[in-house]
Amino acid sequence: METTKTSYPREKIKILLLENISATAAERFTSNGYENVERLTKALSESELIEKIKDVHILGIRSKTNVTPAVLAAAEKLQAIGCFCIGTNQVALDAATHHGVAVFNAPYSNTRSVAELVIGASVMLIRKIIDKNNAAHRGDWMKDASGSNELRGKTLGIIGYGNIGAQVSVLAEAMGMKVIFYDIQTKLPMGNAQDAKSLQQLLSNSDVITLHVPDTPQTKNLINKTNLPHVKQGAIIINYARGEVVDLDELRKYLESGQLRGAAVDVFPVEPEKNGDRFVSPLQGLPNVLLTPHIGGSTEEAQQNIGEDVSNKLLSYLEKGITWGSHTVPGLALPPQEGAHRVLHIHKNVPGVLSQINGQLSQNNINILGQYLKTNDQIGYVVVDVDRKLSKQAAQLLKEVPQTIKVRLLY
């Protein structure tokens, strides 16, 4: 990324990275002159984060740190949050929008890692490798073909046909599987995949069922005692999506009864805070069940990609005011303006703010060399390029505009 001189000295911008975020991200900042980078290996509690965040300009988190309204209220200098993961549900987005804090994530960076693991788990389960592996470790020799099958010719049912679901679809077809999918939104099928007309239809026709849905009130316990009776006899269920989408107690009953031949689960309703903490699940101790500690996207390639993706978005916002990909501040992708200084203005989205901005500047004979505006339901984001000699005066004038949330002189 091209290094740009910013109005606020780089060495004074404080960056806090939590949860052992990839060293790639930290290196991205330091190589661009941001020396004040603190990198912690753990998540912080709400009270710890409130204390820590007071002087932080950029916060990087993964999935276990919750950025609550109370945390955002205490973050007086916070400009942006980078979620170094797929989701953003750990951030109070409404509160972040209210405070004019841009929130970025990496929705595509670990897609391949999760998709490959789903296919790998499917092979392990349909061949009963887990049971045979455990027997071999006990000293028992279990060489038989009973209950072991190929994936080729079987039907994979994908619940949630987004980025990961579609990638799984492509890999499954390469393995010779038939693919059907169910999504609440209309999606363009990849390859020869077919759209199931209902969730029940998918469940009753799939040999392997894999979930790739977000964590919403609608998806909580999506696979439950109402839907499990529709599952095909001898099917396999894989959940590498979110911990709340499968009722694990009900799933255990169907595994114990033999209605299901196996399961792979990587995400859980309650997960340990750190490595070494005790883990408890209703699925422990069951044969042909693969339990993994939320590692669907945990490959070196994925973590490097995520580190690069999110840190690049944060740097683009810090140095150019670009908010493309933000979940809070309206998205703007804009070029640098030669011979000008850039001022960023975030305000409540009410009528007349833009005219007040232009009025303030024109009344003080400040020439506007470039201007960009984007709004969402709650806030508006204006980028103004002005004459260099008058940029500090312009920034001060924009702070006085009613409905202003945040003003920053960028460069």
Side-chain angles (χ1 to χ4, degrees):
M1 178 178 293
E2 180 182 328
T3 301
T4 306
K5 183 175 178 61
T6 55
S7 60
Y8 195 75
R10 279 182 167 82
E11 63 272 15
K12 291 186 178 181
I13 293 178
K14 186 171 183 179
I15 299 167
L16 175 63
L17 304 177
L18 305 178
E19 302 183 66
N20 203 29
I21 285 171
S22 170
T24 301
E27 291 166 5
R28 200 81 178 99
F29 287 113
T30 55
S31 65
N32 278 271
Y34 298 90
E35 303 170 0
N36 195 353
V37 179
E38 183 177 4
R39 185 166 170 252
L40 302 181
T41 60
K42 64 176 184 176
L44 296 181
S45 66
E46 182 183 59
S47 59
E48 290 173 324
L49 193 52
I50 287 173
E51 181 61 31
K52 194 84 173 173
I53 206 167
K54 291 179 180 179
D55 297 322
V56 170
H57 298 88
I58 299 293
L59 174 66
I61 62 172
R62 294 179 70 183
S63 58
K64 290 191 179 301
T65 299
N66 290 312
V67 183
T68 64
V71 170
L72 288 159
E76 298 174 2
K77 297 182 180 180
L78 191 64
Q79 300 293 333
I81 299 170
C83 298
F84 287 76
C85 51
I86 289 180
T88 58
N89 58 317
Q90 69 275 43
V91 178
L93 293 179
D94 283 344
T97 303
H98 174 76
H99 289 284
V101 175
V103 178
F104 302 96
N105 68 331
Y108 313 115
S109 295
N110 68 359
T111 298
R112 180 70 181 197
S113 296
V114 178
E116 285 188 4
L117 195 56
V118 169
I119 299 299
S122 300
V123 174
M124 297 279 284
L125 293 168
I126 206 165
R127 292 289 297 275
K128 300 184 74 172
I129 298 298
I130 298 165
D131 295 344
K132 292 178 173 62
N133 173 70
N134 290 337
H137 279 284
R138 293 194 304 267
D140 298 331
W141 193 249
M142 289 180 61
K143 179 178 168 59
D144 70 87
S146 176
S148 295
N149 300 100
E150 295 180 350
L151 281 182
R152 181 177 56 175
K154 303 301 184 294
T155 297
L156 175 68
I158 303 173
I159 303 173
Y161 203 68
N163 300 315
I164 296 176
Q167 184 80 188
V168 172
S169 177
V170 172
L171 296 180
E173 282 202 359
M175 298 287 289
M177 300 187 78
K178 175 184 177 183
V179 177
I180 59 177
F181 67 90
Y182 175 75
D183 200 296
I184 59 173
Q185 297 179 349
T186 301
K187 296 293 179 67
L188 180 67
M190 303 291 286
N192 297 311
Q194 296 181 356
D195 189 356
K197 302 306 178 187
S198 67
L199 178 59
Q200 288 73 24
Q201 182 188 21
L202 180 142
L203 295 175
S204 61
N205 287 281
S206 301
D207 300 295
V208 181
I209 299 159
T210 180
L211 293 113
H212 301 287
V213 296
D215 184 10
T216 68
Q218 290 73 33
T219 61
K220 184 173 183 179
N221 285 340
L222 182 63
I223 302 301
N224 54 28
K225 64 181 179 181
T226 301
N227 286 323
L228 280 168
H230 295 280
V231 174
K232 183 179 179 179
Q233 173 70 39
I236 290 165
I237 288 184
I238 299 173
N239 181 21
Y240 285 5
R242 295 291 185 267
E244 296 282 356
V245 303
V246 177
D247 186 328
L248 298 184
D249 291 314
E250 288 297 320
L251 182 63
R252 181 182 179 100
K253 293 177 184 178
Y254 280 78
L255 288 163
E256 288 177 327
S257 72
Q259 176 74 18
L260 295 173
R261 70 186 293 181
V265 180
D266 184 55
V267 287
F268 304 88
V270 178
E271 298 181 357
E273 288 295 323
K274 61 182 185 301
N275 287 344
D277 287 355
R278 180 169 171 75
F279 166 65
V280 178
S281 170
L283 302 182
Q284 287 170 323
L286 293 176
N288 211 34
V289 172
L290 178 62
L291 303 180
T292 48
H294 205 145
I295 58 168
S298 297
T299 61
E300 291 183 3
E301 293 88 346
Q303 294 309 307
Q304 180 174 341
N305 290 339
I306 290 170
E308 291 178 354
D309 184 12
V310 179
S311 59
N312 282 341
K313 289 173 181 175
L314 292 169
L315 283 167
S316 291
Y317 181 53
L318 272 177
E319 298 181 354
K320 298 178 183 178
I322 294 174
T323 51
W324 201 252
S326 170
H327 292 263
T328 49
V329 177
L332 273 178
L334 52 151
Q337 178 78 39
E338 293 295 331
H341 281 182
R342 177 162 289 173
V343 185
L344 311 182
H345 186 275
I346 300 173
H347 57 270
K348 295 179 183 177
N349 185 16
V350 297
V353 174
L354 184 60
S355 63
Q356 291 183 64
I357 289 173
N358 292 335
Q360 286 275 44
L361 298 179
S362 64
Q363 289 170 21
N364 288 273
N365 298 315
I366 297 175
N367 188 35
I368 298 175
L369 303 177
Q371 187 177 73
Y372 311 84
L373 167 68
K374 191 73 177 288
T375 64
N376 59 28
D377 290 342
Q378 297 184 55
I379 64 174
Y381 178 46
V382 176
V383 178
V384 183
D385 293 328
V386 299
D387 185 273
R388 287 179 173 178
K389 296 177 182 179
L390 302 171
S391 58
K392 289 185 178 180
Q393 182 186 0
Q396 184 57 45
L397 288 169
L398 294 188
K399 290 179 182 179
E400 298 171 5
V401 172
Q403 312 302 331
T404 295
I405 295 173
K406 187 170 291 185
V407 175
R408 178 159 66 101
L409 178 59
L410 187 61
Y411 60 76

